[in-house]
Amino acid sequence: MRTFALLFFLVALSNALPVLAADTWVIPAAKIYPAPNAEPIEDGVVLVRAGRITYVGKRESAKIPKSAKTSSCVGGVLTAGFQNSHVHFIEPRWEGAAHKTAAELEQSLQDMLTRYGFTTVFDTASDQANTVALRARVEKGEIRGPRIFTVGLALFPPDGIPSYINDLPPPVLARFHLPRNAEEAKAAVRANIAHGADGTKLFLHTSPRQGVIRRMSADIARAAVEETHAQGKLVMAHPTSLEAMRLALDVGVDILVHTTLGEEASWDAATLARMKAGHQSVIPTFKLWIYELKKEEVPTSVVDLLVDATFRQLESFIAVQGQVLFGTDVGYMHDYDPTDEYVLMAKAGMSQAQILESLTTAPAARWKEDKFHGQIAKGYAADLVMLAADPSEDVRNFANVQCVFRAGTPIYSSPQSSSPKSSS
Ligand SMILES: [Zn+2]
């Protein structure tokens, strides 16, 4: 037992060592999915040098340099690193990110993100300065973690901070933007971007209190979108209702961060056509709906009905070739495990390849990174996920992660990873 523990410690230690830029690393896998619709490679190998992929293909055809080192993470099913396009760094565990110990923050990143294969995440509203501080420590190499993008401080209608987040610390709430006119909206966007934001998040319709609805006016929302686009960034919004969805379309919002829960009517053909024409993306967040409805103690039969309606929204969106991005709202949702989301996406009619697309190539294309991210291909960033089993057999296996690499450096290794399971 003791020897085993020691071995474990050494494996963990070797994973923690920085990868030397000049080294070539060999990552052998039982199966490789280079891209969602590419032919999988059985008994393949990926070669990595200086953070980039230099080869992907059959092990027998690989020209492996004599000096190459073999990764301790081998033998599973390899895909490109995953992106979670809807997360939040708002739980108390992230507070004071500039001063917390690296070990503590790394554990938090592991619990919420890296252990599930996320090498890139998009934070869709948080306390911006804190998230930027966290990101800076990850980028310095002090903490092993994913690439972090953020919209920073969200924009709300006046008196429109929704009831479900008004338990955030008052100093954080005080920093949120509640623009009263187009000029204030533009100024809010400029301030966010100047302080490191990568996009804008709009809360179009909100309910600050029971029975009260606050609406962002079209001219304020449009001004925020125009300013964000002028700076080459994207705008995300909540499609709280069909009315809010139409407003999002009118003003040119790029990404809807949810489907619409609790709407009787489906997304009609005209709306879908406008979404497609406007290149709008959708993040389904199905698991969140169940989580929220269970919190409200809604009976299971009603939950099923309501969630089924959101499945139909996504189905109709996919039918017009709409772009789906994977996202779970973790950080707001305290249950971090994405397994159910994969199952629900499959239930809504998505294939294993479509789910992989929403995790990899779709976000890379959406954020114009598709020349270097989202695939296992020569010249691409070596952001990789080794799964313990094949997601084509069961989509739950997308969450069965053995280890994770970011730019060729191991950022997560499962405690079971010294004895990888076979892919079959
Ligand atoms: Zn959210």
Side-chain angles (χ1 to χ4, degrees):
M1 197 59 205
R2 209 178 240 178
T3 329
F4 188 67
L6 178 68
L7 189 72
F8 226 84
F9 174 73
L10 289 173
V11 168
L13 191 70
S14 71
N15 281 348
L17 292 173
V19 173
L20 296 175
D23 290 337
T24 291
W25 282 83
V26 186
I27 306 170
K31 190 173 187 178
I32 299 172
Y33 286 102
N37 293 304
E39 196 60 38
I41 301 162
E42 306 279 348
D43 191 20
V45 70
V46 168
L47 301 185
V48 173
R49 191 163 185 271
R52 300 223 166 252
I53 295 161
T54 58
Y55 173 86
V56 54
K58 284 273 187 197
R59 191 205 299 250
E60 62 206 31
S61 337
K63 290 193 183 69
I64 299 174
K66 271 206 186 77
S67 61
K69 299 181 165 119
T70 300
S71 163
S72 61
C73 176
V74 298
V77 176
L78 199 65
T79 75
F82 298 158
Q83 175 162 338
N84 190 327
S85 299
H86 190 160
V87 312
H88 296 278
F89 295 105
I90 54 175
E91 291 172 299
R93 68 192 308 173
W94 307 109
E95 278 167 29
H99 309 293
K100 278 213 159 84
T101 67
E104 205 175 340
L105 289 169
E106 187 168 302
Q107 186 63 51
S108 293
L109 286 168
Q110 178 173 318
D111 292 347
M112 186 163 98
L113 302 164
T114 47
R115 63 172 291 202
Y116 298 114
F118 298 112
T119 54
T120 304
V121 298
F122 215 110
D123 160 62
T124 64
S126 63
D127 183 8
Q128 172 160 344
N130 196 62
T131 302
V132 169
L134 171 69
R135 169 167 74 190
R137 292 183 71 185
V138 173
E139 291 314 304
K140 259 196 301 190
E142 199 191 327
I143 301 166
R144 288 179 298 184
R147 296 193 304 147
I148 296 172
F149 293 99
T150 179
V151 296
L153 298 162
L155 277 65
F156 299 88
D159 180 36
I161 293 179
S163 55
Y164 58 82
I165 52 171
N166 61 19
D167 59 341
L168 288 174
V172 176
L173 292 174
R175 285 197 282 276
F176 285 166
H177 300 291
L178 295 88
R180 288 163 302 181
N181 54 52
E183 272 321 301
E184 285 187 9
K186 289 192 177 202
V189 168
R190 279 196 296 270
N192 272 359
I193 295 176
H195 294 102
D198 306 289
T200 297
K201 167 78 171 291
L202 302 179
F203 283 75
L204 297 170
H205 288 185
T206 65
S207 177
R209 294 173 290 283
Q210 184 92 37
V212 177
I213 301 283
R214 294 280 179 247
R215 294 175 169 80
M216 186 176 283
S217 73
D219 60 321
I220 291 176
R222 191 173 287 116
V225 172
E226 281 172 5
E227 186 63 35
T228 310
H229 286 172
Q231 304 220 24
K233 316 269 187 209
L234 300 175
V235 180
M236 303 170 128
H238 277 212
T240 335
S241 60
L242 294 181
E243 197 194 333
M245 257 179 96
R246 278 183 214 112
L247 174 60
L249 277 164
D250 289 344
V251 301
V253 165
D254 304 291
I255 300 165
L256 297 179
V257 298
H258 299 290
T259 42
T260 46
L261 185 70
E263 286 284 342
E264 292 266 316
S266 197
W267 293 355
D268 58 77
T271 303
L272 289 161
R274 289 186 67 200
M275 291 169 85
K276 176 66 184 163
H279 305 290
Q280 224 173 38
S281 316
V282 170
I283 304 173
T285 67
F286 294 132
K287 176 177 174 166
L288 174 73
W289 297 148
I290 297 174
Y291 176 86
E292 291 290 86
L293 293 167
K294 289 264 153 83
K295 227 166 40 184
E296 302 294 321
E297 296 178 5
V298 174
T300 310
S301 58
V302 180
V303 172
D304 289 350
L305 226 84
L306 290 169
V307 176
D308 265 359
T310 65
F311 289 169
R312 283 195 299 278
Q313 294 165 0
L314 194 75
E315 247 174 334
S316 62
F317 183 64
I318 291 172
V320 297
Q321 271 96 51
Q323 182 182 63
V324 180
L325 303 174
F326 183 86
T328 45
D329 214 347
V330 281
Y332 168 72
M333 179 163 70
H334 305 309
D335 177 355
Y336 297 153
D337 189 341
T339 309
D340 292 347
E341 188 67 18
Y342 298 128
V343 172
L344 294 165
M345 287 170 106
K347 249 183 155 174
M350 290 181 77
S351 66
Q352 175 255 349
Q354 283 172 322
I355 296 173
L356 182 58
E357 202 178 325
S358 77
L359 286 161
T360 57
T361 48
R366 180 77 264 198
W367 277 281
K368 296 193 169 65
E369 296 193 313
D370 46 335
K371 297 273 190 295
F372 300 106
H373 285 277
Q375 297 184 42
I376 305 182
K378 192 175 170 183
Y380 276 61
D383 292 356
L384 304 162
V385 182
M386 186 77 83
L387 302 172
D390 195 339
S392 73
E393 285 159 17
D394 186 337
V395 293
R396 286 175 183 85
N397 290 332
F398 277 122
N400 189 356
V401 171
Q402 197 175 309
C403 51
V404 181
F405 301 86
R406 182 182 154 195
T409 302
I411 59 167
Y412 171 73
S413 194
S414 151
Q416 280 95 47
S417 70
S418 57
S419 55
K421 291 166 216 156
S422 134
S423 68
S424 55

